[in-house]
Amino acid sequence: MSDAGAGSYVEQGEFRRDTNYITTRITADGSEGYPVEPGRYRLVAARACPWANRTLIVRRLLGLEPVLSVGLCGPTHDKLSWTFDLDPGGVDPVLGIHRLRDAYLARFPDYPRGITVPALVEIGTGQVVTNDYAQMTLDFSTEWAAYHRAGAPDLYPEARRDEIDELNREVFREVNNGVYRCGFAGSQDAYDAAYTRLFTALDRLSERLSTQRYLVGDTITEADVRLFTTLARFDPVYHGHFKCNRSKLSEMPVLWAYARDLFHTPGFGDTIDFAQIKEHYYAVHRDINPTAIIPDGPDLSNWLTPHHRDQLGGRPFGEGTPPPPPHPAERVPPIA
């Protein structure tokens, strides 16, 4: 079970993502039984997974590190679960478990679906609360507002939520999930249709971003976070592994500059571990890459080149400020 989506399947050659998640929410008023409280929950993520990567970015941008700890799974996993291979003894030091599956079964002994990251786990009970990644980051911006750092950006401004929501739906359908629709297509016709949909959407986004620095307004929002995690994986993984090969990201000038702009923004690039990303996709997706050989390329030093997007104006954090450098324990390896 990979970030392709546990329980996802191919129907008539077309990849279908299972989007049924544990929808319990952690809210400021605790109306669903789980109130926002510092130190009560642990975010379990994996740097390899684009859906989990979103939560790591938003947590950084909003400054939730002091109130919401993070447990990081390794880049690979077996058929049962993501595992804490990066920790001593392969055990999460806070939850005391080897497999994320244990937290799911602690709450749902007969849990029938796959074990996915990101997940929020209640530390005291060891039980998973939610794995609804799309709602999770929106709640970080709204329900956890009392614990945002001074100068945190407004990633989900109330006046623009309808626009952000609409764009997020399109980006999910055509891009975030679109690359998987290409990679896991079970027929030539399904692949051809998926390929066309993906690059039509990328061209449309390129046109939108040709005259504005960010997707919605003149500051970073939730919409930029959701697009960025797919773009960051495009050349290292999706272009070759998923056959999304009309163009590399680095050959699409507007999107390439936009992605580098975000990569250079504190909170984005400092959550990206390209080695873990490549290891996950090429080692776990044995149906696509049966040898599990991880390619040496591409050269990723081009992510460090100037982007010049600041010429379009805009202020990344609006009236706020950049987050401080990540805690030493959460730093990623620099690009060589």
Side-chain angles (χ1 to χ4, degrees), residues 121-149:
V121 178
E122 187 178 36
I123 295 171
T125 62
Q127 297 179 357
V128 67
V129 177
T130 181
N131 64 347
D132 187 355
Y133 62 87
Q135 186 62 47
M136 203 179 294
T137 50
L138 298 181
D139 284 343
F140 286 174
S141 284
T142 55
E143 302 297 325
W144 292 73
Y147 300 100
H148 289 180
R149 65 178 176 86

Side-chain angles (χ1 to χ4, degrees), residues 262-333:
L262 292 176
F263 186 85
H264 296 185
T265 300
F268 284 83
D270 54 28
T271 70
I272 299 294
D273 188 321
F274 284 116
Q276 288 196 25
I277 288 169
K278 288 168 57 177
E279 183 178 356
H280 170 73
Y281 283 90
Y282 286 102
V284 171
H285 296 162
R286 294 297 185 95
D287 46 348
I288 297 176
N289 186 40
T291 63
I293 293 172
I294 302 169
D296 291 334
D299 178 4
L300 298 168
S301 62
N302 56 359
W303 278 94
L304 303 178
T305 58
H307 53 77
H308 305 297
R309 290 281 293 180
D310 50 336
Q311 296 175 3
L312 291 172
R315 300 167 299 159
F317 301 98
E319 299 297 329
T321 58
H327 187 278
E330 296 186 20
R331 290 177 184 165
V332 298

Side-chain angles (χ1 to χ4, degrees), residues 223-264:
D224 298 297
V225 175
R226 297 192 183 197
L227 178 58
F228 171 76
T229 57
T230 295
L231 296 183
R233 289 157 176 76
F234 205 90
D235 287 4
V237 177
Y238 302 145
H239 178 269
H241 185 56
F242 279 179
K243 306 179 187 70
C244 302
N245 61 355
R246 187 200 73 180
S247 314
K248 294 179 180 178
L249 175 65
S250 56
E251 296 168 344
M252 294 182 270
V254 172
L255 287 177
W256 175 226
Y258 164 79
R260 296 200 319 283
D261 186 5
L262 292 176
F263 186 85
H264 296 185

